[in-house]
Amino acid sequence: MGIVERIKEIEAEMARTQKNKATEYHLGQLKAKIAKLRTQLLEPPKGSSGGGDGFEVTKYGHGRVALIGFPSVGKSTLLTMLTGTHSEAASYEFTTLTCIPGVIHYNDIKIQLLDLPGIIEGASEGKGRGRQVIAVAKSSDLVLMVLDASKSEGHRQILTKELEAVGLRLNKRPPQIYFKKKKTGGISFNTTTPLTRIDEKLCYQILHEYKIHNAEVLFREDATVDDFIDVVEGNRKYIKCVYVYNKIDVVGIDDVDRLARQPNSIVISCNLKLNLDRLLARMWDEMGLVRVYSKPQSQQPDFDEPFVLSADRGGCTVEDFCNHVHRTLVKDMKYALVWGTSARHYPQHCGLFHHLEDEDVVQIVKKKVREEGGRGRFKSHSNAPARIADREKKAPLKQ
């Protein structure tokens, strides 16, 4: 029996099992088994050389956005309108067969936009190059799920289910659970809050299913069984997603208003070029990019090439800015002068942990290097014992 058949068999068993207090441990074990099998399904086959047609695209710019959706929803047209890159579009499905990149120039930065082939139901099992498409989506900073406004709402649920089956968690934050494997000592279970959806016995059974018998577990929130399994797996990707409803020119105004009011959603029309500027602004807000300009000492700030920071890519502190400039700048920095919305006054003396905001100007002041030998007739540094170090004279000056 293959992995896909075993997953379907376990899902069927979960569907016919009644959910109550007596069966919650059994259902928890079945969820752990499905998670293990799906992880095995995503692993490359043993003995493969890694050859074949290239699908991954080299990262470029300050951020990466992936277009995901069913065939013929307007992904290629949206890429062409936002980036100017030609992507073949036609009235038949699966026009795009590989990953086509484009670059959006917005607010003095470059955002890489990827047009991916349309995925279908069963993509997490490998249908229609679904695994390659989802692997590229995992490397993105933001996912734009392009949907047809005239189709049923079930398409959004199908795509969300397929992405979650391979470890993509859309618009979710990592659970506050500390988990660490140990070599000895058994399983240590602690919690800082009352648990209503999972208990210690169920955690033990899930860990035994993964053959983990020595570990340290600490719950900092009332998490679910799925959250704990995600932490044990350790390969989940928490990514932001914006639901883009295209073709609003073919539906009524009431439907457009209903779709636009849904959370994390935006409505556009590629045919009539409606609301594309709002889409770019929404992408900018969701990615949380911070532009920081450098200022050399006694010179004007350089507003041509900003340093782009992000909370998802390292952080937005002065230390992260120094690492972007040069990796040794942190050791040589004495303090930083900051102008901008993050400063209380201009300029503000800041340390490494000061949080920078968009369009801040930063000047790094380095430490002064002491000259060896000191000043004057007496040395400030000496290798002699302490009792005579302050009386050791330098050689007499030449006449």
Side-chain angles (χ1 to χ4, degrees), residues 62 104-111 280-281 283-285 289-291 293 303-304 306 308 358-359:
H62 304 105
I104 301 174
H105 297 270
Y106 187 74
N107 286 346
D108 297 331
I109 68 168
K110 300 173 183 177
I111 301 175
L280 290 174
M283 289 169 53
W284 175 266
D285 294 338
L289 299 178
V290 175
R291 295 165 294 173
Y293 301 96
F303 291 110
D304 295 332
V308 181
D358 192 30
E359 293 188 322

Side-chain angles (χ1 to χ4, degrees), residues 277-344:
D277 53 345
R278 186 69 62 85
L279 174 61
L280 290 174
R282 184 62 178 272
M283 289 169 53
W284 175 266
D285 294 338
E286 292 293 338
M287 296 180 72
L289 299 178
V290 175
R291 295 165 294 173
V292 180
Y293 301 96
S294 61
K295 181 187 179 303
Q297 192 170 2
S298 68
Q299 295 183 21
Q300 293 295 325
D302 181 15
F303 291 110
D304 295 332
E305 291 292 335
F307 293 90
V308 181
L309 308 178
S310 173
D312 297 332
R313 291 190 176 189
C316 300
T317 61
V318 174
E319 182 179 3
D320 302 317
F321 170 75
C322 293
N323 292 328
H324 271 69
V325 177
H326 198 273
R327 60 186 179 183
T328 61
L329 189 58
V330 175
K331 299 179 181 179
D332 300 334
M333 190 191 90
K334 185 177 181 181
Y335 60 88
L337 297 176
V338 179
W339 293 262
T341 56
S342 67
R344 297 181 180 178

Side-chain angles (χ1 to χ4, degrees), residues 53-59 64 98-99 112 114 129 132-133 135-140:
D53 298 334
F55 197 88
E56 178 61 58
V57 177
T58 304
K59 283 190 175 183
R64 169 180 276 198
T98 185
C99 182
Q112 187 182 43
L114 301 180
R129 305 198 73 177
Q132 294 93 326
V133 172
V136 174
K138 276 190 173 183
S139 65
S140 304

